[in-house]
Amino acid sequence: MGKFLKGFISICCCLIFTQPLSISADEIASQYYVLMDAKTSRVIEGKGEDDLIYPASMTKIMTLLVAVEQLKDLDEKITITDEMLAGLAEANASVAGFVSGETVSVRDLFYGLMLPSGADACVALAVRIAGSEEAYVELMNERAAELGLTQTHFVNTTGLHEDAHVSTVKEIALLLKAALRNPVFKNIFETKEIITETTWAHPEGIYLISSTFRYADPSMDYLIGGKTGFTYEAGLCLASAAEKENMSLILVTAKAPVELGYQPIHIQDAKLIYDKAFDEYHQVVLLSKDEALPALTIKQKFKANELDLKAPETITAILPKNIERESCSYTYLNESLTPPITQGELIQTLTITCQGEAIASLQFTAEENIEKDLLFQLFTKENTALLFVILCAVTAFVYRFLHRRDKINNEA
């Protein structure tokens, strides 16, 4: 039978695998965290991942994402004004160091926003793009809705505390995953340090260093980037990403305590969780692109056809090291299909299950209509009356023909 199914992947991202990392509860200082497969959005492990938090400067992930989507000319110049800087010092906001009257590039504002968590860069970009910070926040919330972040609500661009300025560690992780798909954002996020262009106010430029890499342990060579955050209400926060041995992870932690003599407890938590994850988990290829799947039976009234299916793309999952592909099961929702089938109709789901947990689903839709057998169509309920009339007419014709033939034979 010709191809008539189109497959697409649906990853079960709401499940937490039942084999947790070998970390005791008191080893992690952060009150909330989520460890996510960066390729599939599947939650590997978490604590309070759906609880509301104050995201602090992790907010700036969205601030930068909207900005890089809006401003394509990185060499465009923006002049800093008193309006842009108003109230930042009083709020004790972290800044990159731009001053009123200084004209800087969009590129430097992007780096100033992300690396040292500059609120001055946030507001400058917001005013340039939307006319005001308030109008820009509307764009941020609209983008959050587009990404399906139903528990996230922004009140400002900087993450300074507001009671209604909330999210969850899982939604921040999903936001970071989406943002990393933008190459400009990804390049900035991965940058450790940079010096801005020279201006009259900064003839040698401003040295900008990532607040994440600044405190990261040298052994964390798997870390590709991070965005820290802190307010007294939010505690120490960190949204980060790491890659090692074909595994791509996103980790978001929130509300780590602040101790006397600044200790990067959120960075320490990240190191502990990442080290354990890379030691205890591995990436498993569950299906390879174009790999043959079990044939699907198309049942007709008078015959049955088999349809050869192939995986539309490679499916991977990050699983505990004691779990290999061979221990996973592959199950169709429907053993067979019965026409009629309408184009675009969702007609089959292949679920991949490992140790009793659904890891991913491969769903198929019909690319064309599949009708019933012609003979079967004749015997539908709608055609019963017509078929009866036809049968009676045929019977009458045969009877008359036979009767006439007999009469002729008798006369002869």
Side-chain angles (χ1 to χ4, degrees):
M1 174 174 285
K3 175 184 177 184
F4 77 96
L5 294 182
K6 181 178 181 180
F8 58 94
I9 306 300
S10 174
I11 299 297
C12 301
C13 60
C14 58
L15 298 176
I16 300 175
F17 209 84
T18 53
Q19 182 174 326
L21 296 174
S22 58
I23 304 174
S24 63
D26 57 358
E27 286 185 271
I28 300 175
S30 298
Q31 187 172 335
Y32 310 96
Y33 78 91
V34 67
L35 180 66
M36 181 178 288
D37 184 337
K39 294 180 180 179
T40 67
S41 301
R42 178 175 168 269
V43 171
I44 299 171
E45 181 163 311
K47 179 173 69 173
E49 63 270 21
D50 293 312
D51 295 343
L52 287 180
I53 63 162
Y54 298 121
S57 285
M58 294 190 296
T59 297
K60 294 177 176 113
I61 296 171
M62 178 63 86
T63 308
L64 180 58
L65 175 60
V66 173
V68 299
E69 291 175 341
Q70 295 284 333
L71 299 178
K72 304 303 181 182
D73 182 5
L74 303 189
D75 293 318
E76 177 187 342
K77 295 297 191 289
I78 296 175
T79 300
I80 307 299
T81 65
D82 290 338
E83 174 194 6
M84 296 172 181
L85 303 179
L88 297 182
E90 292 80 359
N92 198 29
S94 58
V95 294
F98 302 113
V99 300
S100 182
E102 183 178 14
T103 299
V104 298
S105 68
V106 164
R107 179 184 293 101
D108 284 346
L109 288 173
F110 285 172
Y111 282 108
L113 180 159
M114 179 57 61
L115 273 62
S117 200
D120 46 355
C122 291
V123 180
L125 289 166
V127 171
R128 157 63 183 84
I129 293 170
S132 68
E133 184 176 14
E134 293 75 17
Y136 191 82
V137 168
E138 292 182 11
L139 298 179
M140 293 169 62
N141 285 321
E142 288 174 4
R143 193 70 176 93
E146 290 173 0
L147 293 173
L149 309 181
T150 60
Q151 294 181 274
T152 297
H153 181 258
F154 299 112
V155 178
N156 56 59
T157 62
T158 61
L160 289 171
H161 181 72
E162 296 279 354
D163 287 343
H165 191 97
V166 295
S167 187
T168 70
V169 290
K170 184 163 77 174
E171 292 202 348
I172 293 295
L174 292 170
L175 168 59
L176 179 55
K177 177 179 181 287
L180 287 171
R181 290 198 293 265
N182 184 292
V184 176
F185 180 99
K186 188 173 187 292
N187 181 63
I188 295 167
F189 185 77
E190 294 177 352
T191 300
K192 295 182 179 181
E193 57 186 8
I194 197 172
I195 298 177
T196 65
E197 298 174 4
T198 60
T199 67
W200 65 265
H202 298 96
E204 297 182 355
I206 304 175
Y207 174 64
L208 305 175
I209 183 171
S210 164
S211 57
T212 300
F213 287 110
R214 180 178 182 180
Y215 296 105
D217 189 284
S219 66
M220 299 174 70
D221 55 354
Y222 45 70
L223 197 65
I224 67 169
K227 181 70 202 77
T228 58
F230 169 74
T231 64
Y232 287 105
E233 295 83 359
L236 291 168
C237 307
L238 175 63
S240 61
E243 293 180 351
K244 184 178 179 180
E245 299 174 353
N246 296 321
M247 292 171 57
S248 296
L249 300 174
I250 288 175
L251 173 65
V252 179
T253 63
K255 208 169 179 60
V258 181
E259 298 180 353
L260 293 177
Y262 180 81
Q263 296 292 324
I265 297 175
H266 48 341
I267 306 289
Q268 295 169 14
D269 278 352
K271 174 175 168 49
L272 175 64
I273 295 171
Y274 277 133
D275 286 349
K276 289 288 187 179
F278 287 124
D279 183 57
E280 299 175 11
Y281 280 72
H282 66 155
Q283 180 170 277
V284 179
V285 177
L286 299 175
L287 283 174
S288 298
K289 181 176 173 61
D290 294 328
E291 179 178 343
L293 301 175
L296 185 63
T297 301
I298 308 297
K299 295 178 65 176
Q300 298 280 13
K301 184 68 175 178
F302 299 101
K303 65 178 180 178
N305 294 315
E306 283 195 345
L307 178 68
D308 294 327
L309 302 181
K310 293 183 179 180
E313 62 183 80
T314 297
I315 306 177
T316 64
I318 295 175
L319 302 172
K321 285 187 174 179
N322 65 330
I323 298 177
E324 299 290 349
R325 168 177 169 153
E326 291 71 24
S327 62
C328 299
S329 61
Y330 300 71
T331 308
Y332 280 132
L333 178 63
N334 304 307
E335 293 184 359
S336 61
L337 302 176
T338 302
I341 297 169
T342 305
Q343 181 181 13
E345 180 182 351
L346 177 62
I347 57 174
Q348 187 59 282
T349 299
L350 176 67
T351 300
I352 304 175
T353 304
C354 301
Q355 287 199 341
E357 298 229 23
I359 302 300
S361 293
L362 177 58
Q363 297 181 313
F364 291 93
T365 57
E367 287 191 331
E368 60 186 49
N369 294 331
I370 302 296
E371 304 296 341
K372 297 178 181 179
D373 280 338
L374 179 60
L375 288 176
F376 181 72
Q377 293 181 51
L378 293 175
F379 292 95
T380 60
K381 181 179 180 181
E382 292 78 5
N383 293 335
T384 300
L386 177 60
L387 289 173
F388 179 76
V389 172
I390 294 174
L391 181 61
C392 290
V394 171
T395 302
F397 174 80
V398 171
Y399 174 79
R400 291 182 61 188
F401 173 79
L402 294 175
H403 179 72
R404 184 174 181 182
R405 187 189 64 180
D406 293 341
K407 183 177 180 181
I408 294 174
N409 290 336
N410 291 332
E411 290 177 351

